[in-house]
Amino acid sequence: MTAPRRAAVLGSPIAHSLSPVLHRAAYAELGLRDWSYDRFEIDEAALPGFFEQLGPEWAGLSLTMPLKRAVIPLLDQISETAASVEAVNTVVFTEDGRRVGDNTDIPGMVAALRERGIEQVGTAAILGAGATASSALAALARICTGEVVAYVRSEARAAEMRQWGERLDVEIRTAHWADAAEALRFPLVVATTPAGTTDALGSAVPERPATLFDVLYDPWPTELAARWSAYGGAVVSGLDLLVHQAVLQVERMTGRTPAPLDAMRKAGEHALADRRAH
């Protein structure tokens, strides 16, 4: 019999994380009965201590805010993808005891778009300029052949996005949030802002919108996503992103491919439906 293996998601706050639901669904589907996946409320200060007490049964960790950057000094190696945005959301513990960091958000975004038939776009718009926006920019570096326009609230944020563009080799232009309605006419719009931020843009959705990737999943749909769908536009949700990045995490941690995308998505949908019902 194989030794039990452990994995978990760390972050703060963590109570609402769907990662345990997704990973456990994958283990069930893959027949990994001796695998467990938990969640731990851990902030930056507690992170080094948590790492120190991990035993050989640990296979990997998922990391959410505020740990994606704080974890880097604790690792032996990070992937080029993670280094490109200075953010690690996945740690895999190798058989020889090394801690390897990766970022599955970026390929997860690309995979979620590909699932909807979007392999390449000429131009794209990003709403917002936080940590998720830099991951979105890294994903667009892989699929966008022309200019990306980021709509932001402050010059400091605009400067940050221009720096990311330079670093990721993306042709980027920044525009003020007051003009964000213009973004909705692009062939691909990636909304990376907190809940409620884009609600006022609902009335500006064009008659024939193209594709909206809204990284939120609860509450869902957002006002913008609901209006977008009503006009017949394609919508990729935050749950799509969450599932696709979790698929990649499961594959890296367990060594089993492919991870069961459909079972994981269904588990996520059921968990969100339960949450809304209560």
Side-chain angles (χ1 to χ4, degrees):
M1 190 176 149
T2 54
R5 303 304 310 273
R6 294 190 71 182
V9 60
L10 316 181
S12 184
I14 202 66
H16 280 75
S17 173
L18 279 180
S19 292
V21 170
L22 303 180
H23 284 253
R24 288 168 188 167
Y27 298 165
E29 195 74 14
L30 292 168
L32 299 173
R33 290 178 188 83
D34 49 358
W35 281 67
S36 64
Y37 190 101
D38 303 296
R39 63 162 74 87
F40 293 95
E41 179 84 19
I42 302 283
D43 61 12
E44 290 127 310
L47 190 61
F50 184 87
F51 263 76
E52 278 170 25
Q53 51 85 43
L54 296 177
E57 73 279 11
W58 282 88
L61 297 169
S62 309
L63 299 163
T64 183
M65 299 310 288
L67 305 177
K68 293 183 182 185
R69 191 161 288 175
V71 75
I72 294 173
L74 304 174
L75 304 176
D76 297 305
Q77 181 190 336
I78 67 170
S79 69
E80 278 182 35
T81 304
S84 74
V85 288
E86 291 175 15
V88 165
N89 77 330
T90 308
V91 176
V92 174
F93 301 104
T94 63
E95 282 184 17
D96 58 2
R98 291 165 69 253
R99 305 162 172 180
V100 180
D102 199 1
N103 184 309
T104 64
D105 286 331
I106 294 162
M109 282 186 181
V110 174
L113 286 164
R114 187 173 292 142
E115 189 181 25
R116 300 302 168 88
I118 293 148
E119 302 272 350
Q120 199 175 70
V121 289
T123 57
I126 295 177
L127 298 173
T132 309
S134 57
S135 288
L137 199 57
L140 290 172
R142 301 181 179 196
I143 65 163
C144 184
T145 57
E147 183 182 65
V148 176
V149 183
Y151 290 82
V152 300
R153 291 192 185 279
S154 70
E155 182 45 45
R157 290 291 204 178
E160 262 178 48
M161 286 301 281
R162 287 194 292 271
Q163 281 177 339
W164 281 118
E166 209 170 294
R167 185 167 168 172
L168 295 161
D169 200 22
V170 178
E171 186 188 334
I172 189 163
R173 177 164 63 83
T174 54
H176 198 272
W177 185 263
D179 300 320
E182 293 171 1
L184 310 186
R185 302 191 173 276
F186 279 72
L188 173 61
V189 185
V190 187
T192 70
T193 51
T197 311
T198 60
D199 286 0
L201 295 174
S203 58
V205 174
E207 275 188 23
R208 290 186 181 165
T211 301
L212 171 69
F213 192 157
D214 194 325
V215 302
L216 295 172
Y217 61 86
D218 190 20
W220 186 262
T222 61
E223 184 77 25
L224 181 59
R227 189 68 66 97
W228 201 274
S229 292
Y231 279 118
V235 175
V236 184
S237 76
L239 183 61
D240 294 320
L241 167 59
L242 198 65
V243 170
H244 276 283
Q245 66 80 30
V247 158
L248 295 168
Q249 288 186 332
V250 167
E251 290 175 353
R252 283 157 174 66
M253 291 179 195
T254 66
R256 301 279 292 273
T257 57
L261 173 71
D262 290 343
M264 292 168 74
R265 178 180 276 129
K266 282 196 184 90
E269 287 169 349
H270 285 313
L272 284 175
D274 282 353
R275 202 177 278 182
R276 286 167 198 144
H278 292 97

